[in-house]
Amino acid sequence: MECPHLSSSVCIAPDSAKFPNGSPSSWCCSVCRSNKSPWVCLTCSSVHCGRYVNGHAKKHYEDAQIPLTNHKKSEKQEKAQHTVCMDCSSYSTYCYRCDDFVINDTKLGLVQKVREHLQNLENSAFTADRHRKRKLLENSSLNSKLLKVNGSTTAICATGLRNLGNTCFMNAILQSLSNIEQFCCYFKALPAVELRNGKTAGRRTYHTRSQGDSNVSLVEEFRKTLCALWQGSQTAFSPESLFYVVWKIMPNFRGYQQQDAHEFMRYLLDHLHLELQGGFNGISRSSILQENSTLSASNKCCINGASTVVTAIFGGILQNEVNCLICGTESRKFDPFLDLSLDIPSQFRNKRSKNQENGPVCSLRDCLRSFTDLEELDETELYMCHKCKKKQKSTKKFWIQKLPKVLCLHLKRFHWTAYLRNKVDTYVEFPLRGLDMKCYLLEPENSGPENCLYDLAAVVVHHGSGVGSGHYTAYATHEGRWFHFNDSTVTLTDEDTVVKAKAYILFYVERQAKAGSDKL
């Protein structure tokens, strides 16, 4: 929104000496000394923590609104100030009087100047810290903690994603997609879109109303985010530009409450698909797809019109068979899919850990079998039989007619009771490599043995008890190494840790070369 309070509230000089030392994202609250979610007041340059920590930034604003009975002249002035602050990590601006984020600026452009100054401080601090760490690594015995590949020591080049306020659901999905090589490389190879020219060319773009919604491109912001990951030039990247576009085109995800990662992934893929269908940066979608013959070849799965890289990689086809139990009439329908949502069988729902000794461990195969097994529809799902000309009892069965290049499996861990949405916290055993999907195919004899084998590329995990709370992280493999992505923190991990995770979303990539015979 455009805030009317900027001219009276933004009073500090962009290069104010009152700013603390160090990187802005690590500044400490002047009250509680917490360095989580620091916000700087644009009236007095004091730093306080955000509302999701101890809320001292908001209290600073509220204290400034207390009437000063002995100074009536300054009372009016005081009420108009200390209302606007800036997030020191994402550089977004918030007005407490408007109770919303701000997209406009003062006539002199002070907000943008402060933003650029904070960003320069952050970059300078990061550069100094990187040089310091490099010297330590070169001159100390910490080399043993670095990863050794082919006898040589290498550093972690992965980049984390800053949490912009309960955006871990988005970060986990973005990190997972960035490690699906075919999908990620396609977007990184797209031409960049220039949103600004002249004096502002090359600068970081912050959307304002004057730019108009025509400049909002999900594909472009998604491309820029993927390009920023795995470059090794920074420890964490702030995806606020992408999050702004998400707010613009996906109203369900506006605000800072926790969201469902699977729901976000579906919205993201659907909107990327739709935008690519309409062409991108003056280049038609079909001409972009034709440049990559491996994506366009043999791709017959279309969702909402023509195919794109989204359907070429994630798109598969289900056959839904329904049989009337009265007259035996069979109905077949083909449905395209981007992911499969699998129930965790009820007999396993009380088993919470792999080592719990109360019956067999639930496996991914159990969930897939439950999805494809013959099922009798209950009274609320009666089938309208065209031969009987009325709703009848029937059976239903799913077959997979076409497997995708990347098989996305969503485990349905959240379900509704009478009043609450509860979490199924059951551990589900899943293979790291050799997931065999041949037995779930409609015509398995028409598929080669390698085309049905999948290897794990990424896992999204939900920690906590409910969909509206908790925290999302992701595991993903990159160049033969497994990484754990926890917002801005990225750490090397191992396969033993990955297989113990309580998976929520699993990304399996079709095996291309012949490998071992280990199967699910």
Side-chain angles (χ1 to χ4, degrees):
M1 61 156 290
E2 291 196 355
C3 172
H5 310 115
L6 292 183
S7 58
S8 60
S9 296
V10 182
C11 306
I12 60 174
D15 57 348
S16 173
K18 295 181 179 179
F19 287 136
N21 295 324
S23 61
S25 61
S26 301
W27 285 348
C28 296
C29 172
S30 59
V31 179
C32 65
R33 308 309 298 167
S34 170
N35 63 351
K36 295 181 179 179
S37 185
W39 291 73
V40 59
C41 174
L42 297 189
T43 300
C44 64
S45 73
S46 59
V47 178
H48 297 89
C49 59
R51 65 178 68 194
Y52 294 108
V53 185
N54 293 314
H56 288 125
K58 186 177 181 181
K59 191 174 187 307
H60 173 69
Y61 155 72
E62 292 171 345
D63 290 345
Q65 311 312 302
I66 299 174
L68 304 178
T69 54
N70 297 329
H71 302 278
K72 292 185 178 180
K73 183 178 179 181
S74 62
E75 178 184 333
K76 182 178 179 181
Q77 179 184 2
E78 193 70 25
K79 280 190 177 182
Q81 295 180 350
H82 306 279
T83 62
V84 180
C85 57
M86 182 176 289
D87 187 335
C88 298
S89 296
S90 66
Y91 313 120
S92 53
T93 311
Y94 191 87
C95 177
Y96 281 107
R97 290 185 69 184
C98 299
D99 196 23
D100 204 348
F101 283 87
V102 177
I103 62 172
N104 60 317
D105 204 339
T106 64
K107 291 181 179 180
L108 298 177
L110 291 178
V111 174
Q112 179 65 15
K113 289 179 180 177
V114 172
R115 180 181 286 128
E116 290 176 353
H117 181 64
L118 293 185
Q119 192 174 2
N120 289 335
L121 291 176
E122 184 76 26
N123 292 337
S124 299
F126 172 75
T127 303
D129 186 58
R130 186 169 58 176
H131 285 312
R132 182 182 62 81
K133 288 181 178 178
R134 186 176 296 170
K135 286 186 177 182
L136 283 173
L137 291 175
E138 289 174 353
N139 302 320
S140 70
S141 59
L142 292 177
N143 288 335
S144 60
K145 293 185 179 180
L146 292 176
L147 186 71
K148 291 198 173 183
V149 180
N150 298 328
S152 61
T153 304
T154 59
I156 298 175
C157 59
T159 299
L161 287 168
R162 289 197 179 99
N163 193 315
L164 306 179
N166 282 327
T167 57
C168 55
F169 68 93
M170 178 178 76
N171 292 346
I173 294 299
L174 292 176
Q175 293 286 14
S176 298
L177 295 178
S178 76
N179 285 284
I180 297 173
E181 187 175 359
Q182 254 188 319
F183 188 68
C184 180
C185 289
Y186 173 87
F187 283 93
K188 287 164 69 174
L190 288 176
V193 173
E194 293 294 336
L195 296 181
R196 288 187 175 186
N197 298 310
K199 293 181 180 179
T200 57
R203 290 186 184 177
R204 192 174 189 173
T205 300
Y206 289 87
H207 300 274
T208 63
R209 182 172 292 181
S210 61
Q211 288 179 282
D213 287 349
S214 61
N215 280 320
V216 172
S217 169
L218 179 64
V219 172
E220 169 62 5
E221 295 304 333
F222 184 67
R223 183 196 69 80
K224 288 194 292 187
T225 302
L226 293 182
C227 287
L229 302 174
W230 294 107
Q231 287 184 342
S233 58
Q234 52 187 335
T235 56
F237 174 75
S238 185
E240 74 272 6
S241 295
L242 175 61
F243 196 40
Y244 172 88
V245 176
V246 168
W247 277 28
K248 276 283 186 183
I249 65 177
M250 306 180 199
N252 289 6
F253 297 94
R254 289 177 186 168
Y256 291 93
Q257 64 272 26
Q258 182 65 281
Q259 302 281 358
D260 182 20
H262 175 251
E263 186 180 359
F264 172 76
M265 183 197 74
R266 286 306 313 266
Y267 270 87
L268 178 66
L269 292 179
D270 286 345
H271 281 83
L272 288 172
H273 172 66
L274 291 173
E275 189 172 321
L276 287 167
Q277 281 183 318
F280 178 72
N281 198 23
I283 302 175
S284 69
R285 174 213 54 81
S286 58
S287 64
I288 297 173
L289 263 182
Q290 287 170 4
E291 292 180 3
N292 193 333
S293 58
T294 60
L295 295 183
S296 57
S298 73
N299 175 50
K300 303 295 182 185
C301 179
C302 302
I303 298 175
N304 298 326
S307 65
T308 66
V309 66
V310 176
T311 54
I313 289 180
F314 290 96
I317 299 175
L318 281 176
Q319 177 178 291
N320 183 2
E321 290 182 2
V322 180
N323 284 277
C324 177
L325 291 177
I326 305 302
C327 67
T329 299
E330 183 180 90
S331 172
R332 294 181 181 178
K333 186 173 70 169
F334 294 95
D335 297 313
F337 68 87
L338 295 179
D339 70 306
L340 298 178
S341 291
L342 311 178
D343 280 308
I344 296 175
S346 56
Q347 66 265 32
F348 297 108
R349 290 192 179 177
N350 292 326
K351 191 172 180 62
R352 300 196 166 210
S353 67
K354 185 175 182 179
N355 299 322
Q356 194 171 331
E357 298 180 0
N358 58 342
V361 174
C362 179
S363 69
L364 189 58
R365 187 167 186 168
D366 293 317
C367 300
L368 284 165
R369 189 185 296 115
S370 175
F371 179 78
T372 56
D373 275 354
L374 189 68
E375 170 191 6
E376 184 172 338
L377 300 178
D378 58 32
E379 296 291 334
T380 61
E381 300 177 292
L382 292 179
Y383 162 65
M384 183 64 191
C385 179
H386 297 292
K387 187 174 181 180
C388 299
K389 299 189 185 305
K390 63 178 182 178
K391 291 185 175 182
Q392 300 282 26
K393 286 187 175 182
S394 59
T395 59
K396 179 181 72 172
K397 180 173 176 61
F398 283 120
W399 292 97
I400 299 176
Q401 198 221 25
K402 176 186 177 293
L403 283 166
K405 294 181 180 298
V406 174
L407 179 64
C408 180
L409 300 176
H410 161 235
L411 299 179
K412 294 162 75 171
R413 291 197 174 275
F414 302 105
H415 68 98
W416 288 102
T417 58
Y419 302 102
L420 298 172
R421 196 177 185 189
N422 292 331
K423 182 179 177 182
V424 180
D425 205 30
T426 302
Y427 170 77
V428 177
E429 193 174 51
F430 56 90
L432 290 180
R433 52 186 69 86
L435 172 62
D436 193 351
M437 295 295 293
K438 192 167 187 176
C439 60
Y440 310 109
L441 281 176
L442 180 64
E443 298 174 341
E445 65 276 3
N446 295 335
S447 298
E450 294 296 334
N451 294 339
C452 301
L453 290 179
Y454 286 81
D455 298 324
L456 189 65
V459 188
V460 174
V461 181
H462 177 268
H463 311 267
S465 58
V467 67
S469 60
H471 182 61
Y472 287 99
T473 64
Y475 293 95
T477 180
H478 183 81
E479 296 180 349
R481 294 176 285 171
W482 279 97
F483 293 85
H484 183 220
F485 299 92
N486 182 5
D487 287 334
S488 58
T489 303
V490 182
T491 54
L492 275 168
T493 187
D494 53 42
E495 293 184 353
D496 291 339
T497 302
V498 176
V499 296
K500 292 176 183 177
K502 292 182 181 179
Y504 181 45
I505 305 171
L506 297 148
F507 296 88
Y508 281 94
V509 177
E510 182 184 45
R511 182 179 292 180
Q512 298 298 325
K514 252 189 175 179
S517 59
D518 48 332
K519 298 180 182 180
L520 174 65

